[in-house]
Amino acid sequence: MNVNKLFSLIFVCFFCTNSLWSQFLSNYYDTLSLKQEVIIDGNIEYFSSGIEKDIISKFYRGGFVSSEMKNSSYDKHSGVNRFGGLAQGDIEYRNYNLNLFKKKSWGLVVKGGYGSIGSALYSKDAFGMVMYGNERYRGETIDLSGSNMTFVSYQKIGVGFIDPVSKSNVSLNFYNISDRFYGHFRDVEITQDLLGDTLNFMLKGEFSSKQNKKFNQGFGIGFDLDFTLPITYGQEKTAFIQFQMENVGFGYLYEKQKVYNVDTSFSFAGFQLSDLIGDDVIFNDSNNVMDTLGIRSTEKTKTFMLPGFIQ
């Protein structure tokens, strides 16, 4: 196997598994006095601290990524960079006239929704390897330490109460966790010789993912809060200060996740035909791939914070 092809494969896989995470909450507010209300909200968003939108658009619209685009985004990258995105939708029913409490005319809120949210934390060298390949880094050490990635997919239902005057509201939510992936690489360094045919790897980190295709991997509990404070100024003019929290809580995966811990150093100089066939192959029944690469696997349940937002 050609070392350059292996190198490219590793980094394509690394970049593609970096699901994305970042969000601004909807800034919805209506001062009309209503009896009932249905709100439908949905959005797809992405954010990046270094990758410019002309490159991102090529991945979902198609097109050619020029050297000028790559160079411009590369120059904007710092030592630590972020990339995030989400797809979500919600429907919410509000009834302002139920008067749930005797001394306070609180109304009812019922909601449901879904979300897929991910994020990646990565080094400047990681972007360089994906965009330029390993040719640019001959005779150098590529530092990918501190790379972090997470992805969560959930569905939720919630119930709460709302003030019909200010429309401030709070709801308690219950979540179905349908998918979660997590990876953290504490120390990752790759050194390539000047000829580009030998690589030295140093890897320390862990990652986990689900083991089956069940829709219900776990559950969660959390809350949403929308507090609006009206402020009167000038000649009876009114402004509003709005404080929002969404999906603040915890999730629990009772379906056991596969957790891989990596702590290894190894060199790669390409495969010879004799390494792949015959009696002395690199990997056989007594020489497991994971053992050879220093990868240990366990199965664990997991408690984690939901992908919540405060604004």
Side-chain angles (χ1 to χ4, degrees):
M1 179 184 290
N2 183 281
V3 67
N4 290 345
K5 291 182 179 180
L6 175 68
F7 205 79
S8 299
L9 178 61
I10 290 173
F11 280 95
V12 168
C13 292
F14 172 82
F15 198 72
C16 287
T17 54
N18 276 264
S19 300
L20 322 169
W21 177 10
S22 188
Q23 182 188 18
F24 288 113
L25 299 179
S26 300
N27 229 356
Y28 175 83
Y29 187 72
D30 188 350
T31 58
L32 294 176
S33 178
L34 303 171
K35 294 182 179 180
Q36 299 182 73
E37 192 173 14
V38 176
I39 301 171
I40 300 175
D41 181 38
N43 59 310
I44 298 175
E45 304 176 13
Y46 66 84
F47 301 92
S48 173
S49 62
I51 305 176
E52 296 182 331
K53 64 180 181 180
D54 54 355
I55 287 184
I56 297 174
S57 66
K58 301 300 181 185
F59 284 95
Y60 64 86
R61 292 181 178 176
F64 176 72
V65 178
S66 67
S67 297
E68 290 77 12
M69 293 179 186
K70 292 188 287 186
N71 294 339
S72 179
S73 285
Y74 183 81
D75 291 339
K76 290 184 179 298
H77 277 69
S78 58
V80 178
N81 308 274
R82 299 177 184 274
F83 193 71
L86 63 89
Q88 69 171 24
D90 297 280
I91 183 169
E92 181 176 328
Y93 168 72
R94 297 177 175 183
N95 189 315
Y96 297 98
N97 292 334
L98 286 182
N99 297 326
L100 297 177
F101 304 100
K102 292 182 179 179
K103 296 182 178 181
K104 182 68 175 178
S105 58
W106 290 99
L108 176 69
V109 173
V110 179
K111 63 176 60 177
Y114 70 92
S116 293
I117 304 173
S119 68
L121 193 71
Y122 64 97
S123 69
K124 187 174 185 176
D125 285 350
F127 177 80
M129 288 306 309
V130 172
M131 291 292 106
Y132 300 105
N134 63 307
E135 184 71 22
R136 180 176 180 142
Y137 295 92
R138 287 191 179 189
E140 298 182 12
T141 296
I142 303 116
D143 187 6
L144 308 177
S145 300
S147 298
N148 194 324
M149 62 196 80
T150 184
F151 174 79
V152 178
S153 185
Y154 67 86
Q155 299 76 39
K156 76 176 184 181
I157 57 173
V159 62
F161 51 88
I162 184 168
D163 178 15
V165 178
S166 68
K167 298 194 176 180
S168 296
N169 62 88
V170 63
S171 66
L172 179 66
N173 305 320
F174 300 92
Y175 298 80
N176 172 64
I177 310 299
S178 56
D179 197 4
R180 184 176 186 266
F181 174 86
Y182 171 81
H184 176 58
F185 297 91
R186 297 181 296 277
D187 297 299
V188 182
E189 292 184 355
I190 303 173
T191 303
Q192 184 180 207
D193 66 0
L194 288 172
L195 295 178
D197 59 1
T198 300
L199 303 175
N200 295 311
F201 289 83
M202 189 274 286
L203 306 173
K204 292 182 181 180
E206 69 175 35
F207 58 95
S208 66
S209 63
K210 65 180 184 180
Q211 296 190 76
N212 55 58
K213 297 182 179 180
K214 291 183 179 180
F215 179 70
N216 176 235
Q217 295 288 319
F219 66 89
I221 185 169
F223 69 93
D224 298 340
L225 172 67
D226 187 345
F227 176 74
T228 303
L229 178 65
I231 299 176
T232 302
Y233 68 99
Q235 297 180 348
E236 298 184 352
K237 295 181 179 179
T238 303
F240 299 88
I241 296 177
Q242 189 174 28
F243 176 75
Q244 293 176 283
M245 302 176 69
E246 186 172 304
N247 299 332
V248 176
F250 294 90
Y252 175 68
L253 296 168
Y254 47 74
E255 290 288 337
K256 289 187 176 181
Q257 306 290 289
K258 198 75 169 182
V259 181
Y260 298 92
N261 287 278
V262 186
D263 188 352
T264 187
S265 298
F266 64 94
S267 296
F268 177 79
F271 292 132
Q272 302 295 326
L273 183 61
S274 58
D275 295 328
L276 303 176
I277 61 175
D279 296 330
D280 298 319
V281 297
I282 294 176
F283 304 120
N284 53 41
D285 292 340
S286 62
N287 189 16
N288 184 271
V289 175
M290 290 182 22
D291 291 339
T292 302
L293 298 180
I295 301 175
R296 303 183 308 277
S297 66
T298 56
E299 295 180 358
K300 294 181 180 180
T301 58
K302 184 70 174 179
T303 301
F304 64 98
M305 292 188 66
L306 295 171
F309 302 92
I310 299 176
Q311 176 174 285

